Amino acid sequence: SAVISQKPSRDICQRGTSLTIQCQVDSQVTMMFWYRQQPGQSLTLIATANQGSEATYESGFVIDKFPISRPNLTFSTLTVSNMSPEDSSIYLCSVEVVSTEAFFGQGTRLTVV
Amino acid sequence: SQQGEEDPQALSIQEGENATMNCSYKTSINNLQWYRQNSGRGLVHLILIRSNEREKHSGRLRVTLDTSKKSSSLLITASRAADTASYFCATDEGGTYKYIFGTGTRLKVLA
């Protein structure tokens, strides 16, 4: 299993600013994933973060808007840049332990005003 | 990638009744997972079923998987008010580690 800690748990930000979300795992994992959940919607994968390489972004998401760092096997950050109210969502990080379930953090609830 | 579909979108039942949710997906999978989310908080893993399994039980939960129809169902028996939540299925896209989530079912259990 894996225990994931996400910070901050929630934040209210001004439009035009940026927020960096941290994800810490209690064990070394190869892949970490970042998801977005817009209000009332399901989860959408933003990108896959591998240690030692650039993140791989899904269609509709770009590095300039959502830069990701993965400095080691237990930590990753997602930055939401130049925020607008449309970025108000829950952002979740996830890891998968091989051949078992994916583990999720509790999420970061972001409100952009 | 395309999201899976879940139905119903919303379900309201009385405490003690059973709740059934269905999930359909589009690609081949290694496994399918069900999650619960309370009031927009983090996801709680409920159960994982592998592509070579047809049925799995965990407490009051029963999951079935039909890979020929690319569908799964989650049955919650003897529901409780505390089961009120949104339920999502998730599949590993084409057997990768990327999970595609269904649209979710909002379950409300009335006391």
Side-chain angles (χ1 to χ4, degrees):
Chain A
S1 66
V3 177
I4 301 174
S5 301
Q6 239 182 278
K7 292 181 184 179
S9 58
R10 58 179 61 223
D11 207 342
I12 300 174
C13 300
Q14 296 291 321
R15 68 177 67 199
T17 64
S18 298
L19 175 71
T20 296
I21 302 167
Q22 299 179 6
C23 181
Q24 179 76 51
V25 189
D26 68 344
S27 57
Q28 293 185 342
V29 294
T30 302
M31 293 185 184
M32 296 178 76
F33 305 89
W34 287 97
Y35 289 84
R36 180 178 73 181
Q37 186 179 30
Q38 294 176 301
Q41 303 295 314
S42 185
L43 285 81
T44 301
L45 181 64
I46 298 172
T48 303
N50 294 330
Q51 194 265 337
S53 63
E54 280 198 4
T56 303
Y57 290 82
E58 298 299 305
S59 176
F61 297 97
V62 294
I63 188 171
D64 289 346
K65 177 66 176 178
F66 297 101
I68 288 171
S69 78
R70 183 79 201 274
N72 57 53
L73 291 174
T74 63
F75 187 78
S76 177
T77 66
L78 169 76
T79 299
V80 186
S81 303
N82 189 25
M83 289 184 285
S84 66
E86 292 70 37
D87 294 320
S88 297
S89 298
I90 296 174
Y91 292 86
L92 297 103
C93 69
S94 167
V95 304
E96 176 168 336
V97 177
V98 176
S99 300
T100 63
E101 73 264 27
F103 294 89
F104 285 83
Q106 283 297 305
T108 296
R109 184 184 292 272
L110 170 63
T111 302
V112 183
V113 297
Chain B
S1 57
Q2 297 183 40
Q3 220 166 36
E5 295 290 327
E6 289 184 59
D7 75 273
Q9 290 187 348
L11 179 61
S12 186
I13 59 174
Q14 293 292 324
E15 208 166 28
E17 294 181 339
N18 295 341
T20 299
M21 293 159 253
N22 302 296
C23 166
S24 61
Y25 56 92
K26 300 182 188 300
T27 66
S28 62
I29 63 171
N30 285 332
N31 63 64
L32 181 146
Q33 308 193 51
W34 285 91
Y35 291 87
R36 184 183 72 221
Q37 185 180 42
N38 292 84
S39 301
R41 294 177 59 82
L43 292 168
V44 174
H45 180 264
L46 295 177
I47 199 164
L48 177 151
I49 186 166
R50 302 190 193 284
S51 59
N52 61 353
E53 297 174 316
R54 292 295 167 259
E55 188 171 311
K56 207 161 182 181
H57 297 255
S58 176
R60 293 185 295 113
L61 305 179
R62 172 179 170 253
V63 168
T64 62
L65 178 64
D66 187 334
T67 53
S68 66
K69 296 181 180 177
K70 290 186 169 60
S71 67
S72 174
S73 67
L74 170 67
L75 168 68
I76 303 174
T77 60
S79 63
R80 306 166 182 168
D83 295 328
T84 295
S86 292
Y87 292 82
F88 295 93
C89 67
T91 55
D92 55 343
E93 183 186 44
T96 70
Y97 291 123
K98 297 193 298 186
Y99 277 90
I100 305 300
F101 281 80
T103 50
T105 294
R106 293 187 308 279
L107 172 65
K108 187 169 186 178
V109 182
L110 304 170

